[in-house]
Amino acid sequence: MKFGSLYFGSLFMILFACSNHSIENKAPLETVQTELQKLAPVELQADLSHLTDREKQVLHKLITAGQIIDELFLRQVDPRNPRWQEQIQGNLDPAYLELFNVMFGPW
C-alpha cells in the first residue's frame, strides 16, 4: 500500500512539473481513471422539509463555510495548487481535474 501511495504521489509531482502534453505522457489517462475507480462516490440525501426557514439559512451558511475551508485547505497543502488546478481545467480530460480535486492537490 505504501509503495502504491509513493508511486501515485511521485506520478502527480512529476505531472505538475510538466506541461499539459507532458502530464498526459507522465500520468496516462488510464492510470488516472484507474485511481478514480478505486474511490466510491457517495451522494448524501436528507429530508429538509421539517427545517424552518431560519434553519435552512444556517445550513446554507454552513455549506458555504465548508467550501471556504476546502479552498483554504487546498492552498495550505501547497500554495501552487490553485495555479495547477487552473492549468488542468479545460486543458485535459476531466478525470485529471476530478482526481486533483478529490486528492486536494498532486498526490
Side-chain angles (χ1 to χ4, degrees), residues 14-26:
I14 292 168
L15 181 145
F16 289 102
C18 306
S19 69
N20 289 341
H21 181 67
S22 294
I23 289 172
E24 292 168 321
N25 290 337
K26 301 285 184 184

Side-chain angles (χ1 to χ4, degrees), residues 39-103:
L39 308 171
V42 177
E43 185 177 323
L44 301 176
Q45 296 180 358
D47 178 14
L48 306 178
S49 62
H50 66 283
L51 296 179
T52 66
D53 287 342
R54 178 78 175 139
E55 290 170 329
K56 289 177 184 175
Q57 289 175 347
V58 170
L59 183 59
H60 177 60
K61 289 184 183 231
L62 288 171
I63 291 169
T64 301
Q67 292 167 337
I68 293 169
I69 290 169
D70 279 352
E71 182 63 32
L72 290 172
F73 180 69
L74 182 70
R75 291 170 188 265
Q76 283 180 327
V77 169
D78 193 313
R80 298 170 292 182
N81 276 344
R83 183 185 54 187
W84 290 335
Q85 194 175 37
E86 285 178 19
Q87 288 175 347
I88 295 172
Q89 232 166 0
N91 293 321
L92 295 171
D93 189 277
Y96 286 96
L97 182 61
E98 183 179 354
L99 187 59
F100 182 92
N101 290 338
V102 167
M103 302 304 270

Side-chain angles (χ1 to χ4, degrees), residues 7-8 11-12 26-36 96 99:
Y7 167 76
F8 192 60
L11 181 70
F12 262 80
K26 301 285 184 184
L29 181 58
E30 297 78 27
T31 303
V32 172
Q33 290 171 333
T34 299
E35 292 302 317
L36 284 171
Y96 286 96
L99 187 59

